Amino acid sequence: MSSRPPVFFVFPSHRICELKRLELNAVTDPLTGLYNRRLFAETFEKELQSRARYGQPLGLVTLDLHRFKE
């Protein structure tokens, strides 16, 4: 029985840049360029789990800007 060498696929560099751009667009607001709620939810969940695992406190400050988009 002969073993086959592993198969590797190399992405062209322009594809990697495109994927990074798409990933950034998925987590930022197009108007402000700020991170959006999707990234917050993912990051917050990971932090909650990490803090619970290590028994560390976690603080959260929220801010609501009235008529921010205007």
Side-chain angles (χ1 to χ4, degrees), residues 18-29 33-36:
E18 185 178 329
L19 290 173
K20 286 181 181 180
R21 182 183 54 77
L22 288 172
E23 183 180 55
L24 184 62
N25 286 344
V27 296
T28 55
D29 179 86
L34 298 173
Y35 291 127
N36 64 18

Side-chain angles (χ1 to χ4, degrees), residues 39-63:
L39 183 64
F40 169 78
E42 291 173 5
T43 304
F44 188 66
E45 183 62 34
K46 288 177 188 175
E47 282 299 317
L48 280 177
Q49 292 172 4
S50 174
R51 300 302 173 144
R53 184 177 331 120
Y54 296 109
Q56 296 176 335
L58 176 67
L60 176 66
V61 176
T62 61
L63 178 66

